[in-house]
Amino acid sequence: MDNFSYCSPTKYVFGRGAENHVAQELASIGATRVMIVYGGGSVVRSGLLDRVKVQLDAANLFHTELGGVEPNPTDPKVREGIALCRETGIDTILAVGGGSVIDTAKAIAAGVPYQGDFWDFWAGKETIREALPVGVVLTIPAAGSEGSGNSVITLLDGMHKISLRTDFWLRPKFALLNPELTFTLPAEQTAAGIADMMAHIFERYFSPTQNVEVTDRISEGLLTAIMTDAVKVMADPRDYEARANIMWSGTLAHNGLCGCGRKEDWVSHFMEHEISAVYGVTHGAGLAVILPAFMTYMANHRPEKGAQLARRVFGVSENDDRLAALEGIGRLKAFFASIGLPLTFGELGIDRPNIELLVRKLHENKGELIGGYMTLGPTETEEIYRLAL
Amino acid sequence: MDNFSYCSPTKYVFGRGAENHVAQELASIGATRVMIVYGGGSVVRSGLLDRVKVQLDAANLFHTELGGVEPNPTDPKVREGIALCRETGIDTILAVGGGSVIDTAKAIAAGVPYQGDFWDFWAGKETIREALPVGVVLTIPAAGSEGSGNSVITLLDGMHKISLRTDFWLRPKFALLNPELTFTLPAEQTAAGIADMMAHIFERYFSPTQNVEVTDRISEGLLTAIMTDAVKVMADPRDYEARANIMWSGTLAHNGLCGCGRKEDWVSHFMEHEISAVYGVTHGAGLAVILPAFMTYMANHRPEKGAQLARRVFGVSENDDRLAALEGIGRLKAFFASIGLPLTFGELGIDRPNIELLVRKLHENKGELIGGYMTLGPTETEEIYRLAL
């Protein structure tokens, strides 16, 4: 086990009616002037946005709004939010939505008190030393941003999609998680979210660090729970218990718990970020395509972790590590297919992907060599992209 | 899954040399005048206390000391600490030790700013609304107090052993966890600690709440990890990796994660608290005796959770729930015995326990009816005590 430091200070309020705590939680972190960040029309149509505003009004909390955050959020919306916060003297950001909304809210929170351009942080030129507090009302369990210190933003100029991770500053102060708010998610979005949260665990599970039994076992338990309840949720989108298990799993998958004590990987996310930046596909759907390709490469070059996964999570009894890992990948793909996820570039709607471009941008953005479980250069990442054809 | 609120804000610094962060972490929470709380001679003999003090001196942090905290800590030491803090204007408590030391530090922290007697909180007469910040250098993984909002203190007058749980105020601000500090723990203490951390999971696992798959799976994963590494640690007390897994498991077993979304039980702890209050036995050893007795009663009256535990954690394949649960208990007892833990009152050194007294005090302290998984009165708890004969 490697040395680590871990702090997950976010307060989670979970269950039916959780969103009704919003004024109380905002007050408890000292909010007086709030900017509500949201995405498309669903939080408007469902009445959730209005219900939040009614609570803020009742608590005499000043609020303004920034709507229209889109999937794979980009820098212009962040800049718009920063300007609006400064104009209106906002001291707290409330994200009402899923990962894109929360990530945008976090970027605004970091940008407001900073003199320079917020992208400096994402570009690695500066370290965040201050940020407005962020609260969350979660509507899409997937990105895990409600409990993470991460934010993924795409710089439109050059389509650089970058994930910034902080230990503290980008962690929300509170997250209100009501599984009922996810009843009406379209099946594709539910499935993509499930792939995303599973990926957050895999990225930490495929680790070169030995002897991290406790973190391995927690990861395997979460994966098992997610797959068990994913099947229920796809069969009945209004199954509260299954929605609840999926929602809480999505938070735990990415709040850092599954990374404690080990080096992480993140190759699959890096590779998918290039796909969604170039082709605009849903992040989780792209992950369902890349993850098995990544694992197949690993089965052929470093099979032990895939074999452990196959045996402990997918019930594979094969003794040979490579064969066990491959059998596990087969079961993972069957699971993904069973919840309607794509398994190839073609199924993702990209018939002739420009793999040369993806590889070039990948290593431009992430460096010549990437990876934690194995170190990969352009030759290897090209092979992984090709395994997804 | 039940509604819940969960916040675990403790910052964990884990690994070799973790204790060397003490001055830095104290500074980061604004400490200026520190009281170091510790127990017997081991932290003195090992040089740990001196190393901590050298760091505080180097950082120009004023410090005073309160040593001599004993296992099953009692109110006089808490009162002594509160008086000392007030005399010397202490603003931060640093616990260097295991559960008894940390629990005492927490009680002092709650008592210092309170006008009345600190026991009011433990007696349930008052709610903590303020407390000094507490930091921890952990030397014994067992109680999980380094990451919990709990503190167990015994009131000498009447030997009332009471566990107080708070959502926020008694949670340490930071905990420094170096597995190397546990290399020299005596085997009995290591084993008792393992029983204690397993009990913290069982108390949450035996829950009447249905459909908490994610929390169940995390709990089962932790239990499996603990037993895997317990065997290694007993074989080689200086096995860093095994010590590390045990230490981190002990924290996660009790920081609230395994209780999220469900009603908890705590009957085994309540019943053991009476045994250790009356007979002064080690808490973890007492738990190793009570847990199988509790589970046996449950196998006969409500077997489903024990059966799930047996199948998922102990590899039992029996179809009948009661028989599966009983087979699981057999394996748990075999595991406890294999690491040298007692399984009966006799093996605990109590040849003729006064069960009538234990039952009376239990229900005096905890109420006429106790339990979460099943509701138990004196008739039932007497039966459980007898199952431990």
Side-chain angles (χ1 to χ4, degrees):
Chain A
M1 196 184 291
D2 295 337
N3 285 9
F4 65 91
S5 172
Y6 178 58
C7 182
S8 170
T10 306
K11 177 179 179 183
Y12 303 110
V13 179
F14 190 100
R16 292 184 174 90
E19 71 276 19
N20 299 329
H21 294 252
V22 69
Q24 180 189 331
E25 292 302 329
L26 283 168
S28 79
I29 61 170
T32 63
R33 297 176 70 83
V34 178
M35 186 170 80
I36 306 172
V37 181
Y38 61 96
S42 70
V43 300
V44 179
R45 282 193 306 275
S46 70
L48 175 62
L49 189 66
D50 279 342
R51 286 193 290 131
V52 166
K53 288 198 278 189
V54 163
Q55 285 183 70
L56 270 56
D57 288 336
N60 282 317
L61 280 169
F62 171 87
H63 53 90
T64 181
E65 287 175 36
L66 181 76
V69 176
E70 294 187 358
N72 301 314
T74 57
D75 62 305
K77 186 58 76 175
V78 175
R79 295 179 205 287
E80 184 188 340
I82 292 170
L84 186 59
C85 283
R86 288 176 178 162
E87 279 162 26
T88 46
I90 293 300
D91 57 35
T92 304
I93 318 275
L94 178 68
V96 181
S100 301
V101 167
I102 304 168
D103 285 2
T104 299
K106 289 174 173 180
I108 295 168
V112 170
Y114 178 60
Q115 297 295 317
D117 180 40
F118 90 97
W119 191 256
D120 289 351
F121 302 126
W122 273 252
K125 291 183 195 163
E126 277 292 340
T127 304
I128 298 174
R129 292 189 187 83
E130 194 183 352
L132 299 187
V134 173
V136 174
V137 178
L138 186 66
T139 61
I140 308 174
S145 188
E146 69 279 6
S148 82
N150 299 36
S151 165
V152 187
I153 303 291
T154 298
L155 187 72
L156 276 186
D157 181 10
M159 292 308 283
H160 296 288
K161 186 169 184 173
I162 304 286
S163 175
L164 176 64
R165 180 192 286 204
T166 65
D167 282 346
F168 178 76
W169 286 111
L170 295 185
R171 285 189 182 268
K173 298 300 174 208
F174 65 83
L176 311 182
L177 311 170
N178 179 356
E180 292 177 322
L181 300 183
T182 71
F183 282 175
T184 54
L185 279 178
E188 313 83 68
Q189 215 168 349
T190 299
I194 286 161
D196 197 8
M197 58 184 75
M198 290 178 72
H200 292 152
I201 303 171
F202 289 137
E203 300 282 17
R204 295 169 164 101
Y205 189 79
F206 281 85
S207 164
T209 312
Q210 305 290 314
N211 296 310
V212 201
E213 183 73 3
V214 53
T215 307
D216 269 354
R217 290 284 182 186
I218 289 171
S219 304
E220 290 154 359
L222 277 172
L223 288 166
T224 305
I226 291 169
M227 289 192 290
T228 303
D229 283 288
V231 173
K232 296 182 190 172
V233 136
M234 298 310 289
D236 176 7
R238 304 182 73 85
D239 180 334
Y240 178 85
E241 300 292 352
R243 286 285 190 190
N245 277 280
I246 292 288
M247 194 174 217
W248 185 226
S249 297
T251 300
L252 296 178
H254 201 39
N255 77 348
L257 184 66
C258 294
C260 285
R262 61 182 170 197
K263 190 172 179 184
E264 304 182 3
D265 191 71
W266 295 99
V267 162
S268 302
H269 262 71
F270 290 172
M271 293 185 71
E272 196 295 315
H273 282 172
E274 299 310 326
I275 301 174
S276 55
V278 173
Y279 296 102
V281 302
T282 303
H283 175 53
L287 284 167
V289 171
I290 283 297
L291 283 167
F294 166 84
M295 290 185 192
T296 302
Y297 181 91
M298 293 306 152
N300 290 326
H301 293 88
R302 188 172 183 181
E304 67 263 25
K305 211 58 191 273
Q308 179 180 310
L309 175 73
R311 292 178 188 127
R312 292 187 179 176
V313 174
F314 291 100
V316 171
S317 54
E318 167 64 44
N319 280 325
D320 178 79
D321 273 3
R322 179 172 167 276
L323 295 178
L326 290 172
E327 198 174 330
I329 294 161
R331 295 188 190 186
L332 175 65
K333 287 167 88 164
F335 166 74
F336 280 162
S338 78
I339 61 170
L341 286 166
L343 297 175
T344 62
F345 271 110
E347 289 179 15
L348 200 51
I350 307 167
D351 283 333
R352 297 179 57 189
N354 187 338
I355 289 181
E356 194 188 333
L357 172 71
L358 293 172
V359 170
R360 193 175 69 238
K361 286 178 59 64
L362 173 66
H363 292 282
E364 264 175 31
N365 282 330
K366 304 299 178 189
E368 193 58 17
L369 298 173
I370 62 173
Y373 187 56
M374 285 187 71
T375 302
L376 309 173
T379 309
E380 292 78 24
T381 54
E382 182 183 332
E383 186 177 337
I384 295 172
Y385 276 127
R386 289 198 185 284
L387 284 166
L389 284 172
Chain B
M1 195 184 292
D2 294 338
N3 285 8
F4 65 92
S5 172
Y6 179 58
C7 182
S8 169
T10 306
K11 178 179 178 181
Y12 303 110
V13 180
F14 190 100
R16 291 184 172 91
E19 70 276 21
N20 299 328
H21 294 253
V22 69
Q24 178 190 334
E25 293 302 329
L26 283 168
S28 79
I29 61 169
T32 63
R33 298 175 71 83
V34 178
M35 186 169 81
I36 306 172
V37 181
Y38 61 97
S42 70
V43 300
V44 179
R45 285 192 304 276
S46 70
L48 175 62
L49 189 65
D50 279 341
R51 287 193 290 130
V52 165
K53 289 198 277 189
V54 164
Q55 286 184 68
L56 270 54
D57 288 337
N60 283 316
L61 279 170
F62 171 87
H63 53 89
T64 182
E65 287 173 36
L66 181 77
V69 175
E70 295 187 356
N72 300 317
T74 56
D75 61 305
K77 186 57 79 176
V78 176
R79 296 179 205 286
E80 184 187 341
I82 291 170
L84 185 59
C85 282
R86 288 176 178 162
E87 280 162 26
T88 46
I90 293 300
D91 57 35
T92 305
I93 318 275
L94 179 67
V96 181
S100 301
V101 168
I102 304 168
D103 285 1
T104 300
K106 289 175 174 180
I108 295 168
V112 170
Y114 178 60
Q115 298 295 317
D117 180 39
F118 90 96
W119 191 256
D120 290 350
F121 303 127
W122 273 253
K125 291 184 196 162
E126 277 291 340
T127 303
I128 298 175
R129 291 188 188 85
E130 196 183 351
L132 300 187
V134 174
V136 173
V137 178
L138 186 67
T139 61
I140 308 173
S145 187
E146 69 279 6
S148 81
N150 299 35
S151 165
V152 188
I153 302 292
T154 298
L155 186 74
L156 275 186
D157 180 9
M159 293 306 282
H160 296 288
K161 186 170 184 173
I162 304 286
S163 175
L164 175 65
R165 179 192 284 203
T166 65
D167 281 344
F168 178 77
W169 286 111
L170 295 185
R171 287 189 180 268
K173 298 300 175 209
F174 65 84
L176 311 181
L177 311 170
N178 179 355
E180 292 178 323
L181 300 182
T182 71
F183 282 175
T184 53
L185 279 178
E188 313 82 69
Q189 215 167 349
T190 299
I194 286 162
D196 197 8
M197 57 184 78
M198 290 178 73
H200 292 152
I201 303 170
F202 290 137
E203 300 283 16
R204 294 169 165 102
Y205 189 80
F206 280 84
S207 163
T209 312
Q210 304 291 314
N211 296 308
V212 201
E213 182 73 4
V214 53
T215 307
D216 269 354
R217 291 282 181 187
I218 290 171
S219 304
E220 290 154 359
L222 277 171
L223 288 166
T224 306
I226 290 169
M227 290 193 289
T228 303
D229 284 288
V231 173
K232 297 182 189 173
V233 135
M234 298 311 289
D236 176 8
R238 304 183 74 85
D239 180 335
Y240 178 85
E241 300 292 353
R243 285 283 190 191
N245 276 281
I246 292 289
M247 192 173 219
W248 185 227
S249 296
T251 300
L252 295 179
H254 202 39
N255 76 349
L257 185 66
C258 294
C260 285
R262 60 183 171 196
K263 190 173 180 182
E264 304 181 3
D265 191 70
W266 295 99
V267 162
S268 301
H269 262 72
F270 290 171
M271 293 186 69
E272 197 295 316
H273 282 172
E274 300 310 326
I275 302 175
S276 56
V278 174
Y279 296 102
V281 302
T282 303
H283 175 53
L287 284 167
V289 171
I290 282 297
L291 283 168
F294 167 84
M295 289 185 194
T296 302
Y297 181 90
M298 293 305 151
N300 290 325
H301 293 86
R302 189 174 181 178
E304 67 263 24
K305 212 58 192 272
Q308 179 180 311
L309 175 74
R311 293 179 187 127
R312 291 187 181 176
V313 173
F314 290 100
V316 171
S317 54
E318 167 63 46
N319 280 325
D320 178 81
D321 274 3
R322 179 173 167 273
L323 295 179
L326 290 172
E327 197 173 331
I329 295 161
R331 296 187 190 187
L332 174 65
K333 287 168 90 165
F335 165 75
F336 281 161
S338 78
I339 61 171
L341 286 166
L343 297 175
T344 61
F345 272 110
E347 289 179 15
L348 199 53
I350 308 166
D351 282 334
R352 296 179 59 188
N354 187 338
I355 289 180
E356 194 188 334
L357 173 70
L358 293 172
V359 170
R360 194 175 69 239
K361 288 179 56 65
L362 173 66
H363 293 282
E364 264 175 32
N365 282 329
K366 305 300 179 189
E368 193 60 17
L369 298 173
I370 62 171
Y373 187 56
M374 284 187 73
T375 302
L376 308 173
T379 310
E380 292 78 23
T381 55
E382 182 183 333
E383 185 177 338
I384 294 173
Y385 277 127
R386 293 201 181 282
L387 284 165
L389 285 171

